[in-house]
């Protein structure tokens, strides 16, 4: 097996939910990858990840809530940047 082709590395999905310790480790890795790129995770993501770690939310639920929040923030930023139709912006 070499790193020359993906075929040498068969896809092996992990148990998405795993144990509490595994979830904490996975979220730590995700935060670390953001930090390597000079990014900080939002407080909202930190709260959702803690809920996932503690078994309150599944990974799927966490992802849906995070994507919904992100979409809301993007739309709010777009609305703020767009001129108002009533002449106030």
């Amino acid at each position: 097996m070499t790193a020359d082709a993906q075929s040498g590395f068969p896809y092996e999905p992990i148990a998405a939910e795993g144990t509490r310790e595994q979830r904490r480790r996975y979220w730590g890795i995700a935060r670390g990858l953001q930090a390597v790129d000079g990014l900080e995770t939002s407080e909202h993501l930190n709260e959702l990840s803690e809920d996932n770690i503690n078994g309150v939310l599944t990974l799927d639920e966490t992802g849906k809530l995070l994507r919904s929040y992100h979409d809301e923030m993007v739309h709010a930023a777009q609305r703020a940047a767009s001129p108002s139709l009533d002449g106030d912006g």
Side-chain angles (χ1 to χ4, degrees):
M1 177 167 46
T2 69
D4 295 332
Q6 287 182 346
S7 61
F9 298 94
Y11 177 70
E12 297 177 21
I14 60 169
E17 297 307 316
T19 65
R20 184 171 191 242
E21 292 77 25
Q22 287 171 321
R23 290 189 302 270
R24 184 169 301 286
R25 182 172 175 254
Y26 296 151
W27 280 110
I29 291 168
R31 288 185 187 104
L33 289 170
Q34 294 294 298
V36 165
D37 289 336
L39 304 171
E40 293 182 24
T41 56
S42 69
E43 187 59 34
H44 186 67
L45 176 109
N46 294 338
E47 290 170 6
L48 290 176
S49 65
E50 282 301 313
D51 283 347
N52 174 251
I53 289 167
N54 294 318
V56 175
L57 296 171
T58 66
L59 187 58
D60 188 50
E61 291 167 332
T62 305
K64 286 178 182 176
L65 289 169
L66 189 57
R67 283 186 292 279
S68 174
Y69 177 79
H70 180 267
D71 289 346
E72 289 173 21
M73 294 296 102
V74 168
H75 289 124
Q78 289 172 342
R79 282 192 303 273
S82 297
S84 167
L85 293 177
D86 60 14
D88 291 338

